[in-house]
């Protein structure tokens, strides 16, 4: 059965007109789903019972609870959601003192096959629908109603999958999240990550005002190609050249994610190459601890060496931070997401 969750206002208008309802009913449905967070069509009480019955004959709302959830000792929560086609994806909720961030997935597995990522080792099983993507957000939003301490402040598309490889569904989700008829979020509260699929990345930069995070990890083409097969098609030098044509000097943020591997990409040579590659870009660098996975014989860089790397970049004009690891004990940290129930 087709779902209502994940439909834009224009799509909802087409639905209600087809069913013989007034056009304004579409906005009512959107408000119930995206602003009041109801999880049942019958709860849409300003729509007549007859019209609710018509909707139920053709559509399900599309909301579903997580199949599992695990809580870390640091308060991070990982959810396992079943998709509409029966696969599973993981979503991570990261509470903080001033922020509460939801890390959402965009695909079941991933095609990019970065050798240090557990999601890449899972393989690729399909794209999430817009309903699947928004259901991850809707679960947190609906459970936070009436509890200000649990309200989300930020969403990051940094879970399973490559968002630009499922751009049509991701872009619809972004429209609904940021539109006045939808969740009404500021795009400055949303960050979308990518390894650098340039065609859809160009569309994203033109269509959206959300922040962008590029999974860089290696500033040298040969090393990036060795560990990130997508480099063969999406060369990092060409990507940076493309990004230099956009203006990130205002509120929109451009960041580069850099996982640090002991003895691999943590020497001064790589720091110098980062300075060379990113010189002149208005951006920031997030240094990320590597979280070991069974299939990969690599280790994370010691924290003191990460600090020295950060300080080198900062002294040369690149704003650099070290990201705190969260949820490692429940395999919720960066690079560890892998929907094991799908195996």
């Amino acid at each position: 059965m087709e779902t209502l969750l994940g439909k834009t206002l224009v799509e909802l208008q087409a639905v209600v007109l087809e069913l013989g309802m007034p056009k304004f009913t579409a906005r009512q449905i959107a408000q119930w789903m995206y602003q009041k967070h109801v999880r049942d069509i019958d709860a849409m009480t300003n729509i007549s019972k007859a019209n609710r019955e018509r909707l139920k004959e053709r559509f399900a709302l599309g909301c579903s609870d997580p199949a599992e959830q695990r809580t870390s000792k640091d308060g991070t929560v990982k959810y396992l959601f079943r998709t509409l086609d029966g696969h599973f994806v993981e979503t991570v909720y990261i509470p903080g003192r001033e922020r509460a961030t939801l890390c959402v997935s965009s695909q079941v597995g991933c095609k990019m096959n970065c050798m240090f990522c557990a999601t890449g080792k899972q393989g690729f099983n399909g794209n999430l629908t817009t309903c699947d993507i928004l259901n991850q957000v809707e679960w947190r939003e609906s459970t936070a109603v009436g509890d200000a301490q649990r309200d989300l402040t930020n969403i990051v598309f940094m879970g399973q999958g490559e968002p630009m490889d499922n751009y049509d569904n991701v872009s619809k989700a972004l429209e609904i999240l940021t539109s006045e008829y939808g969740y009404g979020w500021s795009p400055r509260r949303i960050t979308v990550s990518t390894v650098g699929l340039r065609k859809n990345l160009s569309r994203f930069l033109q269509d959206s005002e959300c922040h962008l995070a590029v999974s860089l990890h290696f500033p040298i083409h040969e090393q990036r190609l060795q560990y990130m097969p997508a480099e063969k098609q999406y060369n990092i030098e060409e990507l940076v050249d493309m990004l230099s044509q956009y203006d990130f000097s205002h509120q929109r943020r451009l960041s580069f994610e850099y996982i640090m591997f002991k003895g691999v990409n943590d020497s001064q040579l790589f720091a110098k190459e980062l300075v060379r590659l990113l010189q002149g870009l208005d951006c920031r660098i997030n240094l990320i601890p590597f979280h070991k996975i069974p299939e990969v014989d690599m280790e994370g860089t010691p924290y003191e060496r990460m600090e020295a790397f950060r300080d080198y970049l900062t002294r040369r004009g690149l704003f650099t931070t070290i990201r705190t690891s969260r949820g490692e004990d429940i395999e919720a940290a960066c690079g560890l997401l892998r929907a094991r129930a799908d195996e």
Side-chain angles (χ1 to χ4, degrees):
M1 183 178 284
E2 198 174 348
T3 63
L4 293 174
L5 184 71
K7 290 192 180 298
T8 65
L9 182 60
V10 169
E11 290 173 329
L12 289 172
Q13 288 170 343
V15 166
V16 299
L17 291 177
E18 182 183 347
L19 294 177
M21 303 177 191
K23 187 177 180 180
F24 65 78
T25 309
R27 189 171 288 273
Q28 292 176 318
I29 295 171
Q31 289 173 339
W32 283 112
M33 289 193 298
Y34 304 136
Q35 297 171 14
K36 298 182 180 179
H37 309 297
V38 301
R39 301 177 68 79
D40 190 312
I41 291 173
D42 280 328
M44 300 178 180
T45 51
N46 63 348
I47 299 173
S48 72
K49 184 175 180 180
N51 283 340
R52 296 201 303 266
E53 291 301 320
R54 287 179 195 161
L55 283 171
K56 285 159 56 179
E57 288 174 5
R58 290 271 308 277
F59 297 92
L61 196 55
C63 299
S64 65
D65 296 349
E68 296 176 10
Q69 70 180 66
R70 298 172 63 193
T71 303
S72 166
K73 60 187 178 184
D74 64 23
T76 299
V77 184
K78 182 169 71 170
Y79 302 104
L80 183 73
F81 286 99
R82 184 188 293 272
T83 66
L84 293 173
D85 61 2
H87 292 294
F88 290 89
V89 292
E90 292 183 326
T91 308
V92 180
Y93 170 69
I94 309 166
R97 194 174 306 171
E98 298 178 353
R99 294 161 58 106
T101 301
L102 193 71
C103 178
V104 303
S105 294
S106 56
Q107 294 180 310
V108 183
C110 186
K111 297 177 187 176
M112 301 302 108
N113 197 27
C114 299
M115 73 168 292
F116 45 84
C117 178
T119 305
K121 302 299 180 185
Q122 178 184 336
F124 177 73
N125 298 106
N127 288 326
L128 296 192
T129 65
T130 308
C131 178
D132 289 324
I133 294 170
L134 288 181
N135 185 54
Q136 300 168 74
V137 179
E138 183 55 37
W139 165 253
R140 280 302 317 182
E141 291 283 75
S142 63
T143 56
V145 170
D147 183 356
Q149 299 303 312
R150 300 174 69 187
D151 285 349
L152 294 178
T153 62
N154 297 84
I155 294 173
V156 294
F157 282 73
M158 296 182 181
Q160 292 172 272
E162 163 57 57
M164 300 303 162
D165 192 42
N166 185 21
Y167 183 69
D168 287 344
N169 289 322
V170 168
S171 65
K172 277 181 59 180
L174 293 176
E175 176 189 332
I176 293 167
L177 286 168
T178 59
S179 66
E180 54 82 23
Y181 71 80
Y183 289 84
W185 278 55
S186 165
R188 310 303 187 216
R189 295 167 59 193
I190 301 172
T191 301
V192 181
S193 72
T194 181
V195 297
L197 281 66
R198 287 191 300 277
K199 179 181 177 182
N200 286 337
L201 177 53
S202 295
R203 292 173 60 196
F204 165 75
L205 291 170
Q206 292 165 8
D207 296 346
S208 167
E209 296 182 358
C210 297
H211 298 314
L212 174 67
V214 176
S215 297
L216 174 57
H217 312 313
F218 301 90
I220 302 171
H221 169 73
E222 290 76 16
Q223 278 77 20
R224 197 167 191 259
L225 181 61
Q226 180 181 352
Y227 294 98
M228 301 174 67
E231 173 69 9
K232 184 174 183 179
Q233 187 173 357
Y234 306 108
N235 182 283
I236 190 60
E237 300 274 355
E238 296 174 3
L239 173 64
V240 170
D241 182 63
M242 186 197 86
L243 292 173
S244 68
Q245 301 170 33
Y246 291 85
D247 183 7
F248 293 98
S249 62
H250 300 293
Q251 288 184 312
R252 187 178 209 174
R253 188 170 65 241
L254 169 64
S255 59
F256 290 87
E257 311 295 293
Y258 195 91
I259 298 176
M260 298 196 68
F261 307 99
K262 182 179 179 181
V264 178
N265 67 345
D266 59 355
S267 69
Q268 192 174 97
L269 167 65
F270 283 86
K272 288 180 178 178
E273 284 297 312
L274 273 173
V275 173
R276 178 197 63 79
L277 179 69
L278 303 181
Q279 198 69 48
L281 270 185
D282 196 318
C283 65
R284 64 178 62 190
I285 300 174
N286 295 319
L287 304 181
I288 304 171
F290 171 59
H291 304 105
K292 193 168 181 59
I293 59 176
E295 301 93 330
V296 177
D297 186 22
M298 298 169 75
E299 297 181 21
T301 297
Y303 190 78
E304 296 76 13
R305 191 168 180 84
M306 293 182 71
E307 288 184 311
F309 198 92
R310 175 200 62 195
D311 294 344
Y312 180 93
L313 297 176
T314 300
R315 287 195 300 270
R316 283 152 182 83
L318 289 176
F319 180 76
T320 307
T321 60
I322 299 175
R323 185 183 295 171
T324 303
S325 180
R326 297 288 300 271
E328 187 173 4
D329 58 319
I330 58 168
E331 298 179 304
C334 181
L336 296 183
L337 296 188
R338 182 170 183 168
R340 301 185 188 281
D342 214 32
E343 298 175 350

